[in-house]
Amino acid sequence: MARRVVVLSGGIGGARFVRGLREHLAETDPAAEITVVVNTGDDVTLFGLRICPDLDTVMYTLGGGIHEDQGWGRTDETFHVKEELTAYGLQPDWFGLGDRDTATHLVRTQMLDAGYPLSQVTEALCARWRPGVRLLPMSDDRVETHVVIDDGTADGGERAVHFQEWWLRLRAAVPARRFVSVGAEDAKPAPGVLEAIAAADFVVLPPSNPVVSVGTILGVPGVRDAIRERPVVGVSPIVGGAPVRGMADACLTAIGVETSATGVARHYGARNDGGLLDAWIVDDTDIAAVADIAALNITARAVPAMMRDIPTATALAASVLALADEVRSA
Amino acid sequence: MARRVVVLSGGIGGARFVRGLREHLAETDPAAEITVVVNTGDDVTLFGLRICPDLDTVMYTLGGGIHEDQGWGRTDETFHVKEELTAYGLQPDWFGLGDRDTATHLVRTQMLDAGYPLSQVTEALCARWRPGVRLLPMSDDRVETHVVIDDGTADGGERAVHFQEWWLRLRAAVPARRFVSVGAEDAKPAPGVLEAIAAADFVVLPPSNPVVSVGTILGVPGVRDAIRERPVVGVSPIVGGAPVRGMADACLTAIGVETSATGVARHYGARNDGGLLDAWIVDDTDIAAVADIAALNITARAVPAMMRDIPTATALAASVLALADEVRSA
């Protein structure tokens, strides 16, 4: 078959889905090619280190270096660099900077400083991790998600903080008024992104954050239009009215989207209504939503969508592939 | 008494001496002020990190963070950053980069990148370590010790390597033809260095490497002349014809100096002969050298000079102080 698949990924959810997809295709379609376009809006420079949380989570997950229980960061990790930075009084102290992880950031920072674009740096890092997929940052240009929140004064002013500060320090508990993707307007998709989408048999929106992960990727000029030319299957990151992990509800609320499998499907939109989706997968527990989603003109399926381990993620990927094949032949 | 003392220091030997001096003065002359001018010729940039081995050894030793047995690096150290850099295939792999140590380099690199001179960076790092002395780099300007060695070709050509490569990778086993202090000619002493020397009751040359540590400091324009205006007491780093630690013999041989307590005294030279030394301390085992050194017009003493622990270093410092007081009142 040699399918060509593009996945737009954030961190944990996207990474685990892609690992399942890779496992499933290795068994059923070994000549298939997977390209993962990864959100870089969460990237941040701390302590002089350029940190790309989503790229690293995908790379470590696919390369066997991930802390499985935690979902991010390295296995057998220690935090002595961070302990010492804190002892020096350096801020911020809320970022979980591991020692092994620091080496990745050092390699990346050094290459970026030497003038290599992030896509080439990512390729160089992947020469070690051998993820078995092509890993591309959404853009080589700097795009940073900032979160506009109340400034806490009586006159109701606002201020913007970096996404990482809102997510990690404030734990998304301070309501976001809106998200700003700084630099997105002038950003270009990284080399290979549009080509991979154009060549894809279909595109998958995995159970990543629809706002600050997939939404940020879609905000890079040219990406949404390219995807609209290809069949698109999505997997709901919302199960039973709550995010499977992370705090996607806080993001959805900020943009006025209901935290439900149907709400997110409506947000992405049906292809026939100018949206993206041909098909949408919800978890079995949300089977009641299938009719609502179908009414939106989106092919809907309820399957076991919780990725508890590699076999369940592989099974979910199989469901996505089956649905994608069905949509393509329709 | 409130003595003002300046010490020109390399790494381990100088650091341990200064710790003994601080302990002794705390007991006998609590208002005394110690300024340590530290060699920065060994400094190197690796993996994008600015590393100052001698400054860090002195800072950690005085601040209670040193790995005592090893003499350099941090206590309770791990090496996960380095393991990972090696896994990424990064060179060099011969530098012992610890995780805790990495944090120091990150703070320093970030401040230097922000435009702070090394002397201010050192002061900021010392705000944590509270060394109880004033720690000054010899210069804020880049001075790098390079070692000229045979290039290994049949036609007897030569090449230069960074001091750290010669010292750590080649273990000083490849003969040095000569040392080049790159940038020294145009370097200025760091703010406070000349002022501290001018105000000093005396200057100590501790048992640091006379060539690549003390010699490099003396090579910063203005430092040697300033020191010649003050009483100078040195401690031999050579005991029984061999360096107490390190590979000073390889350095002395390269510049044609005999590896002996007398040889080093002659190298520094007697004040009356245009050299630096008023007095020179050798270890008890070299008592036979005292007459030879006295014949050079240098006041000589044999005392227990091996610093095995803090008490022996403190006793050595007491001997140095007693001799300095004697020289000053002569």
Side-chain angles (χ1 to χ4, degrees):
Chain A
M1 313 259 286
R3 292 185 192 84
R4 286 186 279 197
V5 187
V6 167
V7 183
L8 308 192
S9 179
I12 304 177
R16 289 181 176 173
F17 175 81
V18 171
R19 184 167 57 178
L21 181 64
R22 183 188 64 184
E23 299 303 305
H24 179 68
L25 287 173
E27 291 292 320
T28 61
D29 184 7
E33 290 173 15
I34 306 171
T35 301
V36 187
V37 178
V38 182
N39 170 45
T40 57
D42 303 2
D43 295 4
V44 65
T45 299
L46 295 175
F47 319 115
L49 299 169
R50 188 65 184 164
I51 301 175
C52 302
D54 287 353
L55 275 170
D56 286 347
T57 294
V58 177
M59 185 171 76
Y60 295 157
T61 299
L62 298 176
I66 198 78
H67 187 302
E68 281 292 340
D69 295 340
Q70 189 172 256
W72 57 269
R74 293 292 313 281
T75 188
D76 297 323
E77 188 58 292
T78 51
F79 290 86
H80 295 148
V81 171
K82 180 177 156 67
E83 262 180 52
E84 297 293 326
L85 291 171
T86 302
Y88 278 115
L90 252 68
Q91 293 294 331
D93 59 5
W94 42 258
F95 193 88
L97 182 70
D99 297 334
R100 295 185 186 280
D101 207 23
T102 294
T104 301
H105 309 325
L106 280 171
V107 178
R108 177 186 292 122
T109 304
Q110 216 185 344
M111 286 190 72
L112 290 170
D113 286 351
Y116 291 95
L118 183 60
S119 51
Q120 287 187 35
V121 174
T122 303
E123 198 178 331
L125 293 170
C126 285
R128 170 185 175 193
W129 291 105
R130 303 179 174 281
V133 305
R134 188 164 180 217
L135 208 60
L136 297 175
M138 65 186 198
S139 177
D140 281 336
D141 301 318
R142 198 71 74 97
V143 176
E144 270 186 359
T145 304
H146 287 205
V147 187
V148 179
I149 59 176
D150 291 353
D151 67 1
T153 61
D155 59 1
E158 60 186 31
R159 67 189 183 99
V161 297
H162 189 286
F163 174 77
Q164 293 294 351
E165 182 171 356
W166 182 68
W167 194 253
L168 297 176
R169 185 172 76 83
L170 304 174
R171 297 181 181 280
V174 176
R177 289 190 179 187
R178 62 187 180 281
F179 299 94
V180 181
S181 198
V182 179
E185 287 161 39
D186 301 319
K188 287 184 296 293
V193 168
L194 295 182
E195 294 80 350
I197 294 170
D201 292 306
F202 58 94
V203 173
V204 181
L205 309 185
S208 285
N209 190 308
V211 186
V212 294
S213 295
V214 177
T216 303
I217 302 172
L218 293 171
V220 176
V223 171
R224 179 185 290 270
D225 289 345
I227 287 174
R228 278 183 48 75
E229 302 293 318
R230 314 304 310 150
V232 176
V233 180
V235 179
S236 177
I238 306 297
V239 170
V244 175
R245 70 185 61 76
M247 301 162 282
D249 45 343
C251 302
L252 290 166
T253 302
I255 63 167
V257 172
E258 181 188 85
T259 301
S260 71
T262 308
V264 177
R266 189 183 293 116
H267 168 63
Y268 284 135
R271 169 179 305 279
N272 295 346
D273 285 339
L276 292 174
L277 294 179
D278 293 286
W280 188 239
I281 282 181
V282 302
D283 185 63
D284 267 343
T285 59
D286 285 320
I287 193 161
V290 166
D292 297 337
I293 295 162
L296 296 170
N297 247 326
I298 299 168
T299 304
R301 285 285 186 292
V303 307
M306 300 292 279
M307 297 183 287
R308 291 189 181 81
D309 47 26
I310 297 180
T312 50
T314 305
L316 175 60
S319 300
V320 168
L321 276 180
L323 187 55
D325 289 343
E326 188 183 317
V327 165
R328 288 163 61 201
S329 62
Chain B
M1 313 255 285
R3 294 185 192 85
R4 286 185 279 196
V5 187
V6 167
V7 183
L8 308 192
S9 180
I12 305 177
R16 289 181 175 173
F17 175 80
V18 171
R19 184 168 57 179
L21 181 65
R22 183 189 63 185
E23 298 304 305
H24 179 68
L25 287 171
E27 290 292 320
T28 60
D29 185 6
E33 290 172 17
I34 305 172
T35 300
V36 187
V37 178
V38 182
N39 170 46
T40 58
D42 303 2
D43 295 4
V44 65
T45 300
L46 295 175
F47 318 115
L49 299 169
R50 188 66 184 164
I51 302 174
C52 302
D54 286 353
L55 275 169
D56 287 347
T57 294
V58 176
M59 185 172 76
Y60 295 156
T61 299
L62 297 177
I66 199 78
H67 186 303
E68 281 292 341
D69 296 339
Q70 190 172 256
W72 56 270
R74 293 292 313 280
T75 188
D76 298 323
E77 187 58 293
T78 51
F79 290 87
H80 294 149
V81 172
K82 179 178 155 68
E83 262 178 52
E84 298 294 325
L85 290 172
T86 302
Y88 278 115
L90 252 69
Q91 293 293 332
D93 59 3
W94 41 258
F95 193 88
L97 180 71
D99 297 334
R100 295 186 186 280
D101 206 23
T102 294
T104 300
H105 309 323
L106 280 170
V107 178
R108 176 187 293 123
T109 303
Q110 216 184 344
M111 287 190 72
L112 289 170
D113 285 351
Y116 292 96
L118 183 59
S119 50
Q120 287 186 36
V121 174
T122 303
E123 197 178 332
L125 293 170
C126 285
R128 170 185 175 192
W129 291 105
R130 303 179 174 280
V133 306
R134 188 165 179 216
L135 208 59
L136 297 176
M138 65 185 198
S139 177
D140 280 337
D141 300 318
R142 197 72 75 95
V143 176
E144 270 186 358
T145 304
H146 287 204
V147 187
V148 179
I149 59 175
D150 290 353
D151 67 2
T153 61
D155 60 0
E158 60 186 31
R159 68 191 182 98
V161 297
H162 189 287
F163 174 77
Q164 293 293 351
E165 182 173 355
W166 183 69
W167 194 252
L168 297 176
R169 186 172 77 83
L170 303 175
R171 297 178 181 281
V174 176
R177 290 190 178 186
R178 62 187 180 281
F179 299 95
V180 181
S181 197
V182 179
E185 287 160 38
D186 301 320
K188 288 185 294 296
V193 167
L194 295 183
E195 295 80 351
I197 294 170
D201 292 306
F202 58 93
V203 174
V204 180
L205 309 185
S208 285
N209 189 309
V211 186
V212 295
S213 296
V214 177
T216 303
I217 303 171
L218 293 171
V220 176
V223 171
R224 180 184 289 270
D225 289 345
I227 287 174
R228 278 183 48 76
E229 302 293 318
R230 313 305 309 148
V232 177
V233 179
V235 179
S236 177
I238 306 296
V239 170
V244 174
R245 70 185 62 76
M247 301 162 283
D249 45 343
C251 302
L252 290 166
T253 302
I255 63 167
V257 172
E258 181 189 85
T259 301
S260 71
T262 307
V264 178
R266 190 183 292 116
H267 168 64
Y268 283 135
R271 170 180 304 280
N272 294 347
D273 286 338
L276 292 173
L277 295 179
D278 293 287
W280 187 241
I281 281 181
V282 302
D283 184 64
D284 266 345
T285 59
D286 285 320
I287 193 162
V290 166
D292 297 336
I293 296 161
L296 297 170
N297 248 325
I298 299 168
T299 303
R301 284 287 185 289
V303 307
M306 300 293 278
M307 296 183 288
R308 290 189 181 79
D309 47 26
I310 297 181
T312 49
T314 305
L316 175 60
S319 299
V320 168
L321 275 179
L323 187 55
D325 288 344
E326 189 183 316
V327 164
R328 290 163 61 202
S329 62

